[in-house]
Amino acid sequence: MREFYGVALATPLMLGTAQYPAPSVLEAAFRQSQASVATVSLRREAGAGQAFWDIIRGLGVHVLPNTAGCHSAREAITTARMAREVFETNWIKLEVIGHADTLQPDPFGLLAATEALAADGFEVFPYTTEDQVLAGRLLDAGARVLMPWGAPIGSGLGLNNRYGLRTLRAAFPDVPMVIDAGLGLPSHAADAMELGFDAVLLNTAVAQAGDPVAMARAFAMAAQAGALAHAADPMEPREMAAPSTPVLGQAWL
Protein backbone atom coordinates (compact mmCIF):
# COMPACT_ATOMS: atom_id res chain seq x y z
CA MET A 1 0.00 0.00 0.00
CA ARG A 2 1.45 3.37 -1.01
CA GLU A 3 2.04 5.92 1.75
CA PHE A 4 0.09 9.16 2.10
CA TYR A 5 2.39 11.78 3.60
CA GLY A 6 4.32 9.04 5.31
CA VAL A 7 1.25 7.12 6.51
CA ALA A 8 0.67 3.62 5.16
CA LEU A 9 -3.04 2.78 5.22
CA ALA A 10 -4.24 -0.70 6.11
CA THR A 11 -6.95 -0.71 3.43
CA PRO A 12 -7.55 1.26 0.22
CA LEU A 13 -10.99 2.58 1.23
CA MET A 14 -11.75 6.08 2.52
CA LEU A 15 -15.32 6.78 3.62
CA GLY A 16 -17.30 9.94 4.23
CA THR A 17 -19.43 10.58 7.30
CA ALA A 18 -22.39 12.58 5.95
CA GLN A 19 -26.01 11.67 5.07
CA TYR A 20 -26.35 8.47 7.12
CA PRO A 21 -29.88 7.87 8.42
CA ALA A 22 -28.67 7.50 12.03
CA PRO A 23 -25.40 7.65 14.00
CA SER A 24 -25.67 3.93 14.75
CA VAL A 25 -25.85 3.20 11.01
CA LEU A 26 -22.79 5.37 10.40
CA GLU A 27 -20.82 3.45 13.01
CA ALA A 28 -21.95 0.03 11.79
CA ALA A 29 -21.21 0.91 8.16
CA PHE A 30 -17.69 2.02 9.03
CA ARG A 31 -17.04 -1.19 10.88
CA GLN A 32 -18.10 -3.25 7.88
CA SER A 33 -16.24 -1.07 5.38
CA GLN A 34 -12.89 -1.54 7.14
CA ALA A 35 -12.13 1.98 5.90
CA SER A 36 -8.76 3.38 6.93
CA VAL A 37 -9.81 7.02 6.69
CA ALA A 38 -12.92 8.97 7.65
CA THR A 39 -13.52 12.26 5.87
CA VAL A 40 -15.23 14.85 8.05
CA SER A 41 -16.55 18.29 7.21
CA LEU A 42 -15.87 21.09 9.67
CA ARG A 43 -19.39 22.36 9.04
CA ARG A 44 -20.87 18.98 9.95
CA GLU A 45 -18.82 18.79 13.13
CA ALA A 46 -19.99 22.25 14.14
CA GLY A 47 -23.64 21.21 13.79
CA ALA A 48 -23.46 17.64 15.06
CA GLY A 49 -21.67 18.24 18.33
CA GLN A 50 -19.69 16.06 20.70
CA ALA A 51 -21.68 12.86 20.15
CA PHE A 52 -20.74 12.76 16.46
CA TRP A 53 -17.07 13.44 17.22
CA ASP A 54 -17.07 10.70 19.86
CA ILE A 55 -18.25 8.20 17.21
CA ILE A 56 -15.50 9.23 14.81
CA ARG A 57 -12.81 8.97 17.49
CA GLY A 58 -14.13 5.57 18.48
CA LEU A 59 -13.65 4.20 14.97
CA GLY A 60 -9.87 4.27 15.39
CA VAL A 61 -9.24 5.48 11.82
CA HIS A 62 -7.32 8.39 10.35
CA VAL A 63 -9.39 11.58 10.11
CA LEU A 64 -9.25 13.63 6.93
CA PRO A 65 -11.05 16.97 7.40
CA ASN A 66 -12.39 18.56 4.24
CA THR A 67 -13.33 22.02 3.03
CA ALA A 68 -16.64 20.89 1.51
CA GLY A 69 -18.90 23.71 0.42
CA CYS A 70 -16.11 26.27 -0.15
CA HIS A 71 -16.32 28.27 -3.37
CA SER A 72 -13.17 30.39 -3.15
CA ALA A 73 -9.54 29.91 -2.20
CA ARG A 74 -9.91 32.36 0.68
CA GLU A 75 -12.90 30.49 2.11
CA ALA A 76 -11.13 27.13 1.76
CA ILE A 77 -7.94 28.39 3.42
CA THR A 78 -9.87 29.81 6.37
CA THR A 79 -11.89 26.59 6.74
CA ALA A 80 -8.75 24.46 6.57
CA ARG A 81 -7.08 26.44 9.34
CA MET A 82 -10.15 26.10 11.53
CA ALA A 83 -10.30 22.36 10.80
CA ARG A 84 -6.67 21.92 11.85
CA GLU A 85 -7.50 23.40 15.24
CA VAL A 86 -10.62 21.26 15.71
CA PHE A 87 -9.32 17.91 14.42
CA GLU A 88 -5.65 18.34 15.39
CA THR A 89 -4.22 17.16 12.09
CA ASN A 90 -2.31 18.73 9.21
CA TRP A 91 -4.20 16.58 6.72
CA ILE A 92 -6.79 18.46 4.68
CA LYS A 93 -8.96 17.35 1.79
CA LEU A 94 -9.05 20.55 -0.20
CA GLU A 95 -12.25 21.32 -2.10
CA VAL A 96 -12.74 24.60 -3.95
CA ILE A 97 -15.95 24.28 -5.93
CA GLY A 98 -16.18 26.17 -9.21
CA HIS A 99 -19.44 24.99 -10.78
CA ALA A 100 -22.74 24.85 -8.93
CA ASP A 101 -24.34 22.06 -11.00
CA THR A 102 -21.45 19.61 -11.44
CA LEU A 103 -19.52 20.62 -8.30
CA GLN A 104 -16.42 20.59 -10.50
CA PRO A 105 -13.33 22.00 -8.79
CA ASP A 106 -12.23 25.55 -9.57
CA PRO A 107 -8.69 24.92 -10.88
CA PHE A 108 -7.49 28.47 -10.22
CA GLY A 109 -8.81 28.64 -6.67
CA LEU A 110 -7.64 25.10 -5.97
CA LEU A 111 -4.10 25.88 -7.08
CA ALA A 112 -3.95 29.10 -5.06
CA ALA A 113 -5.29 27.40 -1.93
CA THR A 114 -2.92 24.44 -2.32
CA GLU A 115 0.08 26.71 -2.54
CA ALA A 116 -0.96 28.73 0.51
CA LEU A 117 -1.84 25.74 2.66
CA ALA A 118 1.26 23.72 1.74
CA ALA A 119 3.39 26.70 2.70
CA ASP A 120 1.51 26.80 6.02
CA GLY A 121 2.44 23.22 6.87
CA PHE A 122 -0.71 21.45 5.68
CA GLU A 123 -0.57 18.06 3.98
CA VAL A 124 -2.96 18.74 1.15
CA PHE A 125 -5.23 16.19 -0.56
CA PRO A 126 -6.61 18.29 -3.45
CA TYR A 127 -9.94 17.27 -4.99
CA THR A 128 -9.24 17.82 -8.66
CA THR A 129 -10.14 16.70 -12.17
CA GLU A 130 -8.15 14.34 -14.39
CA ASP A 131 -6.36 17.31 -16.05
CA GLN A 132 -2.64 16.49 -16.28
CA VAL A 133 -1.56 20.12 -16.51
CA LEU A 134 -3.43 21.03 -13.35
CA ALA A 135 -2.07 17.92 -11.64
CA GLY A 136 1.49 19.00 -12.37
CA ARG A 137 0.84 22.50 -11.09
CA LEU A 138 -0.70 21.16 -7.87
CA LEU A 139 2.37 19.01 -7.28
CA ASP A 140 4.63 22.00 -7.94
CA ALA A 141 2.56 23.98 -5.42
CA GLY A 142 3.33 21.48 -2.67
CA ALA A 143 0.69 18.74 -2.87
CA ARG A 144 2.04 15.21 -2.54
CA VAL A 145 -1.27 13.43 -3.15
CA LEU A 146 -3.89 13.89 -5.87
CA MET A 147 -7.60 13.10 -5.62
CA PRO A 148 -9.05 13.14 -9.16
CA TRP A 149 -12.80 12.77 -9.47
CA GLY A 150 -14.40 9.74 -11.08
CA ALA A 151 -17.58 11.69 -11.83
CA PRO A 152 -19.50 14.59 -10.25
CA ILE A 153 -19.98 14.32 -6.49
CA GLY A 154 -22.99 12.19 -5.58
CA SER A 155 -23.75 11.21 -9.19
CA GLY A 156 -22.91 7.50 -8.90
CA LEU A 157 -21.78 7.45 -12.53
CA GLY A 158 -18.48 5.69 -11.91
CA LEU A 159 -15.38 6.51 -13.96
CA ASN A 160 -16.61 8.98 -16.58
CA ASN A 161 -13.28 9.49 -18.34
CA ARG A 162 -11.30 6.27 -18.20
CA TYR A 163 -8.82 7.53 -20.79
CA GLY A 164 -8.09 10.68 -18.82
CA LEU A 165 -7.74 8.82 -15.54
CA ARG A 166 -5.57 6.10 -17.06
CA THR A 167 -3.20 8.63 -18.65
CA LEU A 168 -3.08 10.70 -15.46
CA ARG A 169 -2.08 7.61 -13.50
CA ALA A 170 0.61 6.81 -16.06
CA ALA A 171 1.93 10.38 -16.14
CA PHE A 172 2.63 10.48 -12.40
CA PRO A 173 3.39 6.86 -11.44
CA ASP A 174 5.02 7.73 -8.11
CA VAL A 175 2.31 10.06 -6.80
CA PRO A 176 -0.32 8.58 -4.46
CA MET A 177 -3.74 9.01 -6.07
CA VAL A 178 -7.25 8.52 -4.74
CA ILE A 179 -10.35 8.37 -6.92
CA ASP A 180 -12.73 10.74 -5.17
CA ALA A 181 -16.39 11.33 -6.01
CA GLY A 182 -18.89 9.78 -8.38
CA LEU A 183 -18.57 6.13 -7.40
CA GLY A 184 -21.96 4.48 -7.10
CA LEU A 185 -21.33 0.73 -7.19
CA PRO A 186 -18.70 -1.57 -5.71
CA SER A 187 -17.69 -2.46 -9.27
CA HIS A 188 -16.69 1.20 -9.78
CA ALA A 189 -14.30 0.94 -6.84
CA ALA A 190 -12.81 -2.28 -8.21
CA ASP A 191 -12.44 -0.61 -11.60
CA ALA A 192 -10.51 2.32 -10.11
CA MET A 193 -8.19 0.04 -8.18
CA GLU A 194 -7.59 -2.15 -11.23
CA LEU A 195 -6.44 0.98 -13.09
CA GLY A 196 -3.69 1.37 -10.52
CA PHE A 197 -5.10 4.00 -8.19
CA ASP A 198 -4.07 3.70 -4.57
CA ALA A 199 -7.42 4.20 -2.84
CA VAL A 200 -11.00 5.27 -3.39
CA LEU A 201 -13.09 7.75 -1.44
CA LEU A 202 -16.88 7.71 -1.40
CA ASN A 203 -19.82 8.68 0.76
CA THR A 204 -23.23 8.84 -0.90
CA ALA A 205 -23.09 5.35 -2.41
CA VAL A 206 -22.93 3.87 1.09
CA ALA A 207 -24.83 6.41 3.17
CA GLN A 208 -27.83 6.58 0.85
CA ALA A 209 -28.06 2.87 0.00
CA GLY A 210 -31.11 0.92 1.11
CA ASP A 211 -28.81 -1.01 3.43
CA PRO A 212 -25.72 1.14 4.13
CA VAL A 213 -24.06 -1.52 6.26
CA ALA A 214 -24.27 -4.20 3.58
CA MET A 215 -23.16 -1.74 0.91
CA ALA A 216 -20.17 -0.72 3.02
CA ARG A 217 -19.08 -4.34 3.22
CA ALA A 218 -19.52 -4.72 -0.54
CA PHE A 219 -17.29 -1.70 -1.21
CA ALA A 220 -14.68 -3.05 1.19
CA MET A 221 -14.50 -6.33 -0.70
CA ALA A 222 -14.51 -4.64 -4.11
CA ALA A 223 -11.70 -2.23 -3.28
CA GLN A 224 -9.57 -5.04 -1.92
CA ALA A 225 -10.31 -7.23 -4.95
CA GLY A 226 -9.37 -4.45 -7.35
CA ALA A 227 -6.11 -3.81 -5.51
CA LEU A 228 -5.22 -7.50 -5.55
CA ALA A 229 -6.07 -7.74 -9.25
CA HIS A 230 -3.81 -4.82 -10.12
CA ALA A 231 -0.97 -6.26 -8.08
CA ALA A 232 -1.39 -9.62 -9.83
CA ASP A 233 -0.52 -8.04 -13.22
CA PRO A 234 -3.69 -8.92 -15.16
CA MET A 235 -3.68 -10.10 -18.74
CA GLU A 236 -4.05 -7.55 -21.52
CA PRO A 237 -7.29 -7.53 -23.54
CA ARG A 238 -6.97 -8.95 -27.07
CA GLU A 239 -9.11 -8.98 -30.15
CA MET A 240 -8.74 -12.66 -31.05
CA ALA A 241 -9.71 -15.78 -29.15
CA ALA A 242 -6.89 -17.77 -27.55
CA PRO A 243 -7.72 -21.32 -26.43
CA SER A 244 -6.88 -22.17 -22.85
CA THR A 245 -6.52 -25.82 -23.80
CA PRO A 246 -3.62 -26.44 -26.24
CA VAL A 247 -4.10 -28.15 -29.58
CA LEU A 248 -1.07 -30.36 -28.88
CA GLY A 249 -2.20 -33.90 -28.09
CA GLN A 250 -5.66 -33.40 -29.57
CA ALA A 251 -7.08 -36.49 -31.27
CA TRP A 252 -7.25 -36.31 -35.08
CA LEU A 253 -10.15 -38.15 -36.68
Side-chain angles (χ1 to χ4, degrees), residues 125-182:
F125 292 67
Y127 163 63
T128 183
T129 64
E130 66 276 17
D131 188 301
Q132 286 190 44
V133 176
L134 176 57
R137 297 289 177 85
L138 290 170
L139 296 172
D140 291 342
R144 295 293 175 264
V145 173
L146 295 173
M147 302 186 80
W149 67 347
I153 294 172
S155 67
L157 293 172
L159 306 185
N160 262 2
N161 184 358
R162 288 179 56 82
Y163 169 78
L165 291 170
R166 188 172 63 250
T167 54
L168 177 68
R169 175 70 284 181
F172 302 98
D174 299 324
V175 176
M177 290 192 195
V178 183
I179 292 294
D180 175 21

Side-chain angles (χ1 to χ4, degrees), residues 13 15-16 18-34 186 202-220:
L13 183 60
L15 193 58
Q19 302 181 325
Y20 291 84
S24 59
V25 177
L26 163 64
E27 186 172 9
F30 257 88
R31 301 291 184 197
Q32 286 296 316
S33 74
Q34 302 175 30
L202 54 119
N203 188 160
T204 308
V206 168
Q208 295 296 293
D211 186 341
V213 178
M215 187 61 77
R217 185 176 180 219
F219 267 101

Side-chain angles (χ1 to χ4, degrees), residues 43-54:
R43 296 180 181 186
R44 176 171 173 79
E45 162 64 12
Q50 188 62 42
F52 171 75
W53 186 223
D54 287 343

Side-chain angles (χ1 to χ4, degrees), residues 32 71 73 93 142 163 176 189 236:
Q32 286 296 316
H71 291 261
K93 180 192 169 189
Y163 169 78
E236 292 291 331

